[in-house]
Amino acid sequence: MPDRTTRSIAHFTAPFVLGGLEGQLPAGEYDIDHDEELVEGMSRLAWRRVATFIHLPARAVKNPPTSQLVAIDYLDLETALKRDRENAA
């Protein structure tokens, strides 16, 4: 079954928390990967998200000693982004 990865950037104006990760993450821009699989049997192309990953640390950190690709819950990410937008307003 064909798979694909789509990429986006999540921008946080304040420190935030994501379920499954310890402590707060600093404000900044984070690369996000969404792994998707093709839904078979549709009359048109449709993709289903099967995993979401965040790249740590944030993009602003130049030449980090280590970097991680961490699996996260997409709904946790959306909730954190929504809170960040509401608090910035």
Side-chain angles (χ1 to χ4, degrees):
M1 180 176 290
D3 294 333
R4 72 178 184 184
T5 299
T6 58
R7 293 185 164 79
S8 62
I9 298 171
H11 177 77
F12 289 93
T13 59
F16 64 101
V17 176
L18 286 177
L21 299 179
E22 288 187 29
Q24 278 191 336
L25 296 171
E29 292 185 333
Y30 290 83
D31 290 314
I32 305 294
D33 291 350
H34 303 283
D35 286 352
E36 301 171 319
E37 65 183 13
L38 184 62
V39 177
E40 299 282 344
M42 302 288 289
S43 60
R44 58 186 162 84
L45 283 179
W47 296 88
R48 173 183 24 242
R49 183 180 301 111
V50 293
T52 301
F53 300 92
I54 188 169
H55 293 255
L56 300 175
R59 299 178 114 218
V61 177
K62 300 294 181 202
N63 301 317
T66 61
S67 62
Q68 293 178 291
L69 185 63
V70 180
I72 58 172
D73 184 288
Y74 175 75
L75 294 177
D76 286 346
L77 175 63
E78 287 299 305
T79 300
L81 286 167
K82 182 179 177 187
R83 278 192 202 124
D84 189 70
R85 286 190 299 268
E86 289 170 353
N87 291 335

